[in-house]
Amino acid sequence: MNVVALIAATLVTATPLLYATIGEIITERSGILNLGIEGTMYAGAFGGFIVTANTGSPLLGLLAAVVTGMLAGGLMGLLTVTLGVNQHVAGIGTTLLLIGASEFSNRLLFGGGSLTQTAKFALLFTGVPVLEMYLLTMLGLAVVAPLAWWLLRSTGLGLRLRAVGENPEAADAAGISVERTRYVALVIGGALMAVGGAFLTLAVLGTFTLNITNGRGWVAIALVIFARWRIWPAVASALLFAVVDAAQLQLAITPTFAHVPRELMIALPYLAVIIALAVAGRGLRYPGAYLKPYRRT
Amino acid sequence: MTEEADSTPPLLSLSGIRKTFGDLVANDGIDLTVRAGEVHAVLGENGAGKTTLMRIIYGLTVPDDGVMQVDGVPVMVRSPKDALACGIGMVTQHFALVRPMTVLENILLSSLPLGPVSTEEPRLRIAELSAQLGSPFDPDAVVGTLSVGEQQRVEIVKALYQGARALILDEPTAVLVPQECSALFKSLRRLTDDGIGVLFVSHKLHEVKAISDRVSVLRHGRVVTTVPTETASTGELAELLVGRAVSGVSRAVLRPDDEGSVGATLIAAERADDRSSLAAARPNGEVLLRISALTVPGSGAKPRLDGIHLDVGGGEILGLAGVSGNGQRELADVLSGVLEPSSGSVTLGGVELAGAGPARIVQAGLGRLPEDRHGVVVEDLSVEDNLILENVNSFRRGPFLDRGAIRRHAERLIEQFSIKAAPTDPVGGLSGGNMQKVLLARVFERDPQAIVVAQPTRGLDVGASEFVHKQLLRRRSLGAAILLISEDLDEVLALSDRIAVIVEGRIMGVVSASVVSRGQLGLLMSGTPLAELSA
């Protein structure tokens, strides 16, 4: 097995999950389960692609993805925070809407026909084993993750966010706006999820295909629970999932595994998530206000 | 702050505060003032409008009408933030604390910047303020690990930290053992000496007498009187509180002394020749309900029930006293058949019931009146249907329900238990008292050998509470073994023959109700072993 290739593949697979899990942790710590994550990633991938296709600049594409994610977060906020809609329904609805809208626009613009290749982010440190990776991967590991950890742990915003997610009555009594804090969490989280999606179009593929996110958002939801809503364990679990996925790809081409059905090999990382959750996912302490809309009585 | 004299405007003044919820008038033109350096008590029964009033002052509820002034200046308080900016702080009944966060983090919540939080200065200030209260605490302790009394002090310090000069305390003693109460009262005195004004909300007369300088009595959303505390007798206040003359004070309301009650006479007779010592491990009659070595594991190393032994005899009420959350709920759940113990046994007349499901437990003759009334009635179903829920099979004709028999059954019980409802009314629409009566009827109608009852009068008005107590005493005189789990010490003292005290899932001791004092119970409830008391 080629270790360098394994590491490279792991990092590529882990990057979208990294952004998505961090984004989801931020929203869930504020008390909102954002099941719009899959759609947000999808829309981020599409938004990033379409802007890059028209401007030729992956950076502008990334910016477009960020804006798309913020809007998606805002939509979740409107539904769950302002209107108090059930979070499961709002999240799944948001996902369906965003996927549908992206595919519809894609069909209008490209007729579902030939794939347009766009400019994409180049690999950094090309030729240097292990260090050869995308800017977004490095940014995610070295900047976004520590920043998110610090934000939740030691900033006023982070404290507010946790307070709102644990005990909104207490936060309200302390003069913190529960609504505003949750909107902020959703908007920041949405932006991160969308960047995770955009990584697929802007760095890996350089184009947009249907079903591009392929359930990565749902995987992120599971990883967040597995990581118990903490940033570093989430980073580790994203890498763990990715390493299983990369190993599966590598093993599939070895003679030993040649006879194992391809479908089973592809399912491996997902099975790993289910087993991990079944083992580590019991007796969890969810954020106190998880799934609960807040209304002053 | 201390220069405030009587001539200066009061620290906080309310006039004409009015708030309605639909048809319900919660506050009906309330006038109230709090001066710097005084404790002003607001006394009222459940539903008198106390909590609404407090929430209005603190900006959690917006009033329909009325003016609020701070230092004589009209203020608009639309949120807790506004209230804090005016120097009004509040300690709510259920603490507004984030349990997984530290004391420091909790206190900083209301004054957070967006960016990094500096902790040096706040630490010093918190130490200073907690010392001012007379009980310093560790700012880095996680709130969830603190005792209830400590959490309350954190709340007070939090309010002071935010610059509160007027402090509202909503039923502050409801969660405390007597020793913690007196510590709280001392702290409050230290605060008023420093010029803080305290608004003390309670429905407990003896506390209000003990701590306040002035008292306002609230009834049906109106202030019926405001008097200096020393000039008002407890009897007068009690009368104003409930709106009718009561014989004696709260204890008398609870202890049914009228001749009509069989139970009361029985208790009186037994108590006359009761001279026993404080400890009373054995029941008077033959043991019907026996709980031994009952253990329920907790999430951590500490079990939630830790080898509980209790014997309840026929014709006796065993009270189980304790501060909320010490295992009472778990014990009630095991006895109701909804929680399986890891070890130990529960027998009723020799029949093993530990780990049995609800159906078998009911069949064996154990009646259950759980703490959460709404959890054991089906609110959308009618009164008559709820009355047969535990016994549907007796009202069947073949596969069909015998509607006629169900109706007759309901009409009989409605009459017998004076339930104010028609058989077809949905239970969800009934008052707490009537809902409890439906439950009493359902359980007592089957003539249970033993009864487990938890917080039977929580949230009920005086009349309904009295009815429930009388029914329990009647069952006792009919020979039932009754385990009364209650956080209301007055209730436990008034009804029980013996009292067991539970602390952190263990029984601290079983004492004779006629001998034990409130103070001794308080010490047991705060974890003092029985042996140290008798000494």
Side-chain angles (χ1 to χ4, degrees), chain B residues 4-263:
Chain B
E4 302 250 5
D6 273 8
S7 57
T8 57
L11 184 51
L12 176 68
S13 119
L14 308 172
S15 48
I17 298 290
R18 195 181 150 78
K19 176 73 188 176
T20 56
F21 296 101
D23 288 340
L24 179 79
V25 184
N27 284 178
D28 190 5
I30 289 185
D31 299 325
L32 199 71
T33 59
V34 181
R35 301 182 193 127
E38 78 161 349
V39 175
H40 187 153
V42 173
L43 191 62
E45 281 201 289
N46 286 326
K50 290 172 299 183
T51 301
T52 305
L53 179 64
M54 298 310 115
R55 291 179 63 91
I56 287 174
I57 300 175
Y58 196 52
L60 287 167
T61 300
V62 179
D64 302 335
D65 199 10
V67 181
M68 193 161 130
Q69 292 179 311
V70 172
D71 295 328
V73 182
V75 290
M76 288 286 265
V77 174
R78 287 282 179 266
S79 72
K81 211 168 199 156
D82 296 348
L84 287 166
C86 298
I88 300 167
M90 169 145 114
V91 177
T92 45
Q93 215 164 335
H94 305 287
F95 300 144
L97 293 172
V98 185
R99 294 172 57 87
M101 299 192 357
T102 66
V103 170
L104 181 74
E105 287 174 333
N106 266 286
I107 291 177
L108 290 179
L109 271 187
S110 62
S111 50
L112 285 173
L114 273 180
V117 177
S118 70
T119 56
E120 287 304 309
E121 207 184 323
R123 248 174 237 281
L124 289 175
R125 179 98 179 98
I126 289 167
E128 203 176 290
L129 288 169
S130 62
Q132 189 188 348
L133 275 186
S135 52
F137 46 68
D138 175 12
D140 293 315
V142 172
V143 165
T145 65
L146 299 179
S147 76
V148 177
E150 286 170 319
Q151 290 186 22
Q152 191 173 55
R153 289 200 290 279
V154 172
E155 279 280 38
I156 294 174
V157 167
K158 191 170 96 181
L160 297 175
Y161 182 87
Q162 291 155 12
R165 293 180 295 135
L167 197 59
I168 311 164
L169 302 173
D170 190 8
E171 304 273 2
T173 58
V175 290
L176 303 181
V177 298
Q179 281 74 12
E180 285 176 323
C181 287
S182 54
L184 170 70
F185 287 181
K186 275 190 200 130
S187 297
L188 291 183
R189 276 298 156 212
R190 296 174 77 131
L191 292 179
T192 52
D193 289 347
D194 290 339
I196 303 281
V198 175
L199 193 59
F200 185 95
V201 185
S202 179
H203 65 267
K204 294 184 185 162
L205 273 172
H206 60 270
E207 281 170 5
V208 166
K209 280 295 277 183
I211 183 71
S212 67
D213 300 301
R214 286 193 301 154
V215 55
S216 292
V217 178
L218 204 60
R219 195 171 76 234
H220 299 320
R222 291 164 179 272
V223 174
V224 290
T225 188
T226 299
V227 287
T229 309
E230 59 211 81
T231 66
S233 80
T234 326
E236 283 165 14
L237 288 177
E239 205 178 310
L240 287 166
L241 182 64
V242 296
R244 62 186 161 104
V246 286
S247 49
V249 208
S250 51
R251 277 292 281 275
V253 176
L254 282 168
R255 206 189 281 269
D257 283 335
D258 47 317
E259 281 90 26
S261 164
V262 207

Side-chain angles (χ1 to χ4, degrees), chain B residues 163-407:
Chain B
R165 293 180 295 135
L167 197 59
I168 311 164
L169 302 173
D170 190 8
E171 304 273 2
T173 58
V175 290
L176 303 181
V177 298
Q179 281 74 12
E180 285 176 323
C181 287
S182 54
L184 170 70
F185 287 181
K186 275 190 200 130
S187 297
L188 291 183
R189 276 298 156 212
R190 296 174 77 131
L191 292 179
T192 52
D193 289 347
D194 290 339
I196 303 281
V198 175
L199 193 59
F200 185 95
V201 185
S202 179
H203 65 267
K204 294 184 185 162
L205 273 172
H206 60 270
E207 281 170 5
V208 166
K209 280 295 277 183
I211 183 71
S212 67
D213 300 301
R214 286 193 301 154
V215 55
S216 292
V217 178
L218 204 60
R219 195 171 76 234
H220 299 320
R222 291 164 179 272
V223 174
V224 290
T225 188
T226 299
V227 287
T229 309
E230 59 211 81
T231 66
S233 80
T234 326
E236 283 165 14
L237 288 177
E239 205 178 310
L240 287 166
L241 182 64
V242 296
R244 62 186 161 104
V246 286
S247 49
V249 208
S250 51
R251 277 292 281 275
V253 176
L254 282 168
R255 206 189 281 269
D257 283 335
D258 47 317
E259 281 90 26
S261 164
V262 207
T265 336
L266 264 172
I267 288 189
E270 280 166 15
R271 294 228 163 113
D273 63 353
D274 200 330
R275 29 32 338 196
S276 60
S277 64
L278 185 56
R282 317 170 128 273
N284 300 325
E286 181 203 352
V287 176
L288 276 179
L289 179 65
R290 167 162 282 161
I291 300 166
S292 50
L294 196 67
T295 300
V296 170
S299 47
K302 209 163 70 179
R304 288 187 288 168
L305 287 182
D306 192 0
I308 298 267
H309 284 276
L310 285 175
D311 287 340
V312 193
E316 102 162 328
I317 297 182
L318 174 67
L320 185 70
V323 178
S324 166
N326 273 289
Q328 294 98 319
R329 184 179 284 264
E330 287 79 6
L331 181 59
D333 283 352
V334 168
L335 295 177
S336 300
V338 294
L339 179 66
E340 199 165 333
S342 61
S343 64
S345 91
V346 176
T347 59
L348 175 59
V351 181
E352 179 61 51
L353 289 178
R360 244 194 74 207
I361 284 180
V362 173
Q363 209 62 48
L366 180 61
R368 312 154 305 149
L369 286 164
E371 166 177 352
D372 176 20
R373 290 191 273 280
H374 299 268
V376 285
V377 294
V378 182
E379 304 202 343
D380 292 335
L381 287 187
S382 62
V383 170
E384 60 180 13
D385 288 347
N386 269 287
L387 282 172
I388 62 154
L389 269 191
E390 287 188 343
N391 196 17
V392 179
N393 280 341
S394 313
F395 296 90
R396 258 184 6 191
R397 232 182 346 210
F400 303 106
L401 287 174
D402 183 351
R403 278 284 155 201
I406 292 172
R407 176 65 50 88

Side-chain angles (χ1 to χ4, degrees), chain A residues 24-75:
Chain A
E24 186 68 26
I25 286 176
I26 289 174
T27 60
E28 289 194 19
R29 288 295 284 265
S30 82
I32 298 204
L33 169 68
N34 188 355
L35 290 182
I37 184 170
E38 177 76 9
T40 307
M41 292 177 78
Y42 207 95
F46 181 70
F49 162 74
I50 208 75
V51 168
T52 308
N54 283 301
T55 61
S57 157
L59 259 182
L60 281 178
L62 187 65
L63 192 69
V66 168
V67 173
T68 310
M70 292 169 83
L71 290 174
L75 175 65

